[in-house]
Amino acid sequence: QVHLVESGGGLAQAGGSLRLSCAASGSIRSYSAMGWGRRAPGKQREIVANMPIGGYAIVADSVKGRFFGTSDDAKRTVYLQMNNLEPEDTAVYYCYIDVPGGDGGRFWGQGTQVTVAP
């Protein structure tokens, strides 16, 4: 089994910052990437940041310049630094990990709520 535990969500004022963390554990022999997605009320889930192992983070155009994804591959931990938050960033943020192989796939965490007040 794969376990992902997110932390760092909460309430922020517009223009403020939050930092999310996510640690992966369990039966993970290897993985190709970790990242973050979010689902805003009434909208589909979108990928916010993807961090391929050993590579550079790629963030969505909607958050580029404001959100920064980083990773500690040895600790299987990823972070999402969110700056200059906007009310439109209000969503449940989910961490994921991509595990290769027949029993692999994209595994998601339980999510952490981020609410940005005007």
Side-chain angles (χ1 to χ4, degrees):
Q1 292 186 343
V2 176
H3 301 281
L4 295 161
V5 179
E6 301 107 332
S7 61
L11 175 66
Q13 297 294 317
S17 298
L18 285 173
R19 186 175 188 245
L20 306 182
S21 300
C22 173
S25 62
S27 302
I28 307 171
R29 293 184 178 180
S30 66
Y31 70 99
S32 57
M34 293 183 68
W36 295 92
R38 68 182 181 184
R39 177 174 286 156
K43 296 185 178 180
Q44 290 187 335
R45 183 162 55 190
E46 65 168 331
I47 302 301
V48 175
N50 185 67
M51 281 76 79
I53 187 169
Y56 295 98
I58 300 173
V59 297
D61 289 342
S62 59
V63 302
K64 194 168 292 184
R66 300 188 298 119
F67 289 15
F68 302 90
T70 58
S71 62
D72 185 332
D73 296 340
K75 294 182 178 179
R76 294 176 180 173
T77 301
V78 291
Y79 308 91
L80 186 66
Q81 178 66 43
M82 304 184 292
N83 300 327
N84 195 20
L85 284 162
E86 303 172 351
E88 292 73 22
D89 296 319
T90 295
V92 178
Y93 285 72
Y94 300 89
C95 171
Y96 67 84
I97 185 169
D98 291 334
V99 178
D103 294 333
R106 175 163 287 180
F107 298 89
W108 293 90
Q110 293 298 308
T112 183
Q113 177 70 46
V114 170
T115 302
V116 183

